[in-house]
């Protein structure tokens, strides 16, 4: 008999589910396809042997069939995080002196209960759950490529020490305030726990003990059949993927016999009934509607409007970078002065200071990337065209004095001239000319600073103009819909004009002519 095509794709597959993970089931079927199984296939074929030979072979076939049904094929349905003990674990945890941790004590008691109930139901197929030691060792030693000659990089070695585990924290720990916001003595354990962004993951391994019959329990004969990972977002990662119609996976053992095993993975989870799916759909719909109402109650229905006759400007700004400076470890102190007819709320801060930033070489310039965000809220009495996104690069300068002594002092000791009054750099409010002279004040160009602004405008005038445009549009639409009635109105209006002209002509005629014509009309 020819075996079907093997499934060579051992990569992982990703699924997503909103159902509880406790409902997940996998069916694992493993079978030996060499050694005794090939002999049985040959025995089942007709032959022309003699009766004596047939009797001896029939006896061998009966014995081998019992051996085949018990040892060479096994099927198990395994639930999520369901523990199936291997022969090695049974031999280990039966000895109470070898149990040290609370988990070992729990496994010792479970194995004793299994022995009282008649023994374990599995023989070769077993599992390692998220809390077993094998899970920690496997995650630490796992490879990131399929290459046999893989050399772990620095990043792989650092990430191997990070456990992506769900932390069971107490409610009091979440509600308690941290007393130390800054940790001055940073340890490697602190880095591993806090400096890695990851999603908590639970892992489960399905393995098989492929040792010889009667000699199970050696760890060197254990082979991983499937790895299942589930994160807190309901993402399920299965490696290798479920077989389906792609054929079985193969495991070829080392040694003299070169035995070959095949196994399949199937989804054995119970399918939900149509009534249950409909009930769940209605429940989710009701849940989402209630959540929407809750968010609406938190936000409220009253929209905050700008004062009448004022324009509200909201700016989300960012000090992006600074370049062209001769020294490193830069920081920036900035002040904001509002022009005339501009005002800001009392809580608005119009000054700030950035963090100290180390510059890096970019082409021939030294660039310090601050990425310092700030917000600004201001009011103006007239509309201004500042909405949208803007990028501004401002050149900077510093005051200098004549002579080389100041430059030598600045180079060796540090420090330079500073303005006593920072408002000296602005244009005075009483200045009326077009050019402001700073004659005698010496400066030197130093570099440039790049800003990014995202501006929003809010005003009642926008709402009124929008309402006016909508009303005009409605009127135009109404006229466009009554095009047929307009033609009727034109005919009626022309008839009214003709009637008025006839009345005016009648009034201009003499009275005796009108009475004579009227009497002639009344005669029979």
């Amino acid at each position: 008999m020819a075996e079907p095509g093997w499934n060579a794709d051992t990569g992982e597959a990703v699924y997503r589910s909103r159902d509880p993970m406790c409902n997940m089931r996998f069916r694992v079927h493993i079978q030996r396809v060499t050694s005794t199984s090939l002999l049985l296939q040959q025995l089942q074929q007709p032959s022309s042997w003699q009766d004596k030979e047939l009797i001896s072979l029939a006896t061998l076939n009966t014995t081998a069939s019992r051996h085949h049904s018990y040892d060479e094929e096994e099927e198990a349905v395994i639930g999520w995080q369901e523990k199936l003990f291997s022969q090695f674990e049974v031999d280990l945890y039966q000895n109470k002196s070898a149990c040290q941790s609370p988990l070992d004590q729990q496994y010792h008691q479970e194995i004793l209960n299994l022995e009282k109930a008649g023994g374990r139901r599995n023989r070769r197929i077993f599992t390692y759950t998220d809390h077993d030691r094998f899970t920690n060792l496997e995650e630490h030693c796992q490879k990131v490529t399929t290459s046999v000659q893989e050399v772990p990089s620095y990043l792989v070695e650092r990430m191997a020490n990070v456990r992506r585990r769900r932390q069971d924290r107490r409610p009091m720990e979440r509600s308690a305030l941290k007393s130390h916001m800054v940790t001055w003595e940073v340890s490697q354990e602190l880095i591993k726990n806090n400096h890695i962004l990851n999603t908590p993951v639970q892992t489960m391994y399905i393995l098989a003990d492929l040792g010889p019959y009667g000699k199970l329990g050696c760890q060197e004969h254990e082979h991983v059949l499937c790895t299942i990972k589930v994160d807190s977002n309901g993402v399920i990662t299965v490696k290798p993927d479920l077989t389906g119609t792609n054929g079985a996976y193969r495991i070829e053992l080392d040694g003299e016999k070169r035995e070959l095993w095949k196994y399949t993975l199937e989804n054995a989870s119970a399918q939900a009934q149509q009534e249950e799916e409909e009930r769940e759909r209605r429940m989710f719909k009701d849940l989402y509607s209630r959540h929407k109402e809750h968010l609406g109650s938190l936000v409220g229905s009253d929209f905050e409007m700008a004062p009448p006759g004022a324009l509200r400007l909201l700016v989300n700004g960012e000090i992006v970078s600074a370049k062209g400076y001769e020294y490193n470890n830069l920081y920036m102190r900035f002040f904001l002065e509002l022009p005339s007819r501009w005002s800001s709320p009392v809580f608005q801060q119009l000054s700030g200071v950035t963090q100290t930033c180390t510059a890096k070489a970019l082409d021939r310039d030294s660039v310090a990337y601050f990425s310092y965000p700030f917000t600004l809220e201001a009011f103006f009495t007239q509309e201004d065209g500042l909405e949208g996104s803007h990028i501004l690069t401002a050149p900077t300068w510093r005051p200098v004095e004549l002579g080389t002594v100041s430059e030598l002092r600045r180079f060796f000791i540090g420090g330079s001239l500073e303005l006593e009054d920072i408002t000296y750099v602005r244009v005075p409010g009483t200045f009326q000319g077009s050019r402001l002279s700073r004659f005698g004040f010496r400066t030197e160009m130093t570099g440039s600073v790049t800003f990014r602004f995202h501006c929003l405008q809010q005003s009642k005038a926008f709402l009124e103009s929008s309402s006016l445009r909508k009303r005009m549009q409605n009127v135009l639409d109404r006229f466009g819909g009554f095009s047929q009635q307009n033609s009727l109105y034109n005919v009626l209006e022309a008839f009214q004009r003709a009637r008025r002209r006839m009345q005016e002509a009648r009034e201009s005629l003499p009275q005796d002519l009108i009475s004579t014509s009227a009497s002639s009309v009344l005669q029979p």
Side-chain angles (χ1 to χ4, degrees), residues 125-136:
I125 300 176
F126 63 98
T127 62
Y128 284 127
T129 62
D130 188 69
H131 303 286
D132 291 329
R133 300 189 188 94
F134 177 83
T135 305
N136 302 335

Side-chain angles (χ1 to χ4, degrees), residues 402-422:
L402 294 177
T404 58
V405 177
S406 61
E407 294 298 324
L408 291 174
R409 184 188 302 111
R410 180 172 178 269
F411 181 80
F412 289 102
I413 302 178
S416 60
L417 295 179
E418 296 183 1
L419 296 176
E420 294 183 357
D421 186 6
I422 194 65

Side-chain angles (χ1 to χ4, degrees), residues 7 29 31 73 128 168 186 196 278 334 339-340 343 358:
N7 191 350
H29 180 270
Q31 180 182 359
E73 184 176 5
Y128 284 127
D168 297 331
V186 181
I196 299 297
E278 185 66 24
F334 60 93
S340 59
S343 61
T358 303

Side-chain angles (χ1 to χ4, degrees), residues 4 42 48 71 78 107 147 152 188 234 244 247 258 292 300 304 310 323 369 384 421 439 453 487-488 492 507 519:
Q42 295 177 1
S48 58
D71 185 62
I78 304 173
Y107 286 167
S147 176
Q188 294 296 329
R258 308 288 295 180
K292 181 179 178 181
E304 183 180 358
K323 69 176 181 178
Y369 291 95
D384 197 359
D421 186 6
F439 182 75
F453 301 101
S487 60
L488 179 60
L492 294 177
E507 293 176 355
S519 60

Side-chain angles (χ1 to χ4, degrees), residues 82-97:
E82 180 181 356
K83 180 62 179 177
L84 297 180
F85 293 99
S86 64
Q87 186 63 42
F88 174 80
E89 291 178 311
V90 171
D91 298 337
L92 176 64
Y93 294 124
Q94 275 183 346
N95 187 5
K96 190 175 183 179
S97 60

